[in-house]
Amino acid sequence: MMRFVRRVLAPLTAPISRRVRSRIDARYVTKADHRRDIKDALWEVQMLRREVVSLRNEVDRLRKTAKASAAPAPARDPRVAEAHRLATETADALDKVLQNEVRVWQAIDDLSARVPVAEQVRHIEHAEHVG
């Protein structure tokens, strides 16, 4: 019986097992490809870090330029000074509101990324049945 398995069945099953192994291996990334992907991602992060540093420097330079050139001349009319003060306070408040809105949307995106898709679908279906 063992001779039969070795002589007849082994040569028949070898191509099948090779096909199965190659199909399974095709689903996975090789170590070399994985290392290359990690190196590419690291390179991109380093490039983005350099860009962020250069953008921060540019923003600082522009702020200094804007502060130096936009130094308000003392107003002779108190109504003009009051209007300028109110406009500045309004701009600062609106800037904070917009920053908070961005933070809210970032938190929503973060939460939606954490919630599994099936649970999102369940909530949508529940809302459709209720509404």
Side-chain angles (χ1 to χ4, degrees):
M1 184 67 178
M2 251 348 240
R3 282 187 184 164
F4 176 74
V5 170
R6 277 191 221 148
R7 287 188 175 189
V8 177
L9 293 180
L12 292 176
T13 58
I16 295 171
S17 61
R18 262 188 259 124
R19 283 191 205 130
V20 169
R21 267 189 255 122
S22 67
R23 200 169 264 236
I24 289 173
D25 290 343
R27 293 182 181 176
Y28 298 102
V29 178
T30 63
K31 287 182 181 180
D33 289 341
H34 188 61
R35 286 187 187 118
R36 191 176 318 111
D37 291 343
I38 290 173
K39 286 180 183 178
D40 291 344
L42 180 62
W43 181 82
E44 287 182 33
V45 167
Q46 290 171 346
M47 289 301 296
L48 289 172
R49 185 179 297 145
R50 289 184 196 122
E51 286 183 32
V52 167
V53 167
S54 66
L55 287 173
R56 282 184 182 158
N57 292 336
E58 181 72 14
V59 166
D60 290 340
R61 185 186 67 76
L62 290 173
R63 281 185 181 153
K64 289 176 185 174
T65 304
K67 285 181 182 178
S69 65
R76 293 184 184 146
D77 190 2
R79 292 182 301 172
V80 172
E82 181 69 11
H84 183 274
R85 183 187 66 79
L86 289 174
T88 305
E89 288 178 7
T90 304
D92 290 340
L94 186 59
D95 186 43
K96 288 178 183 175
V97 167
L98 291 174
Q99 288 176 358
N100 287 336
E101 185 179 2
V102 167
R103 287 187 187 116
V104 166
W105 282 110
Q106 287 173 342
I108 289 171
D109 289 343
D110 185 40
L111 286 174
S112 65
R114 290 182 186 179
V115 174
V117 175
E119 191 171 324
Q120 288 178 353
V121 169
R122 194 175 321 122
H123 286 297
I124 291 171
E125 290 174 352
H126 178 69
E128 288 174 356
H129 291 296
V130 173

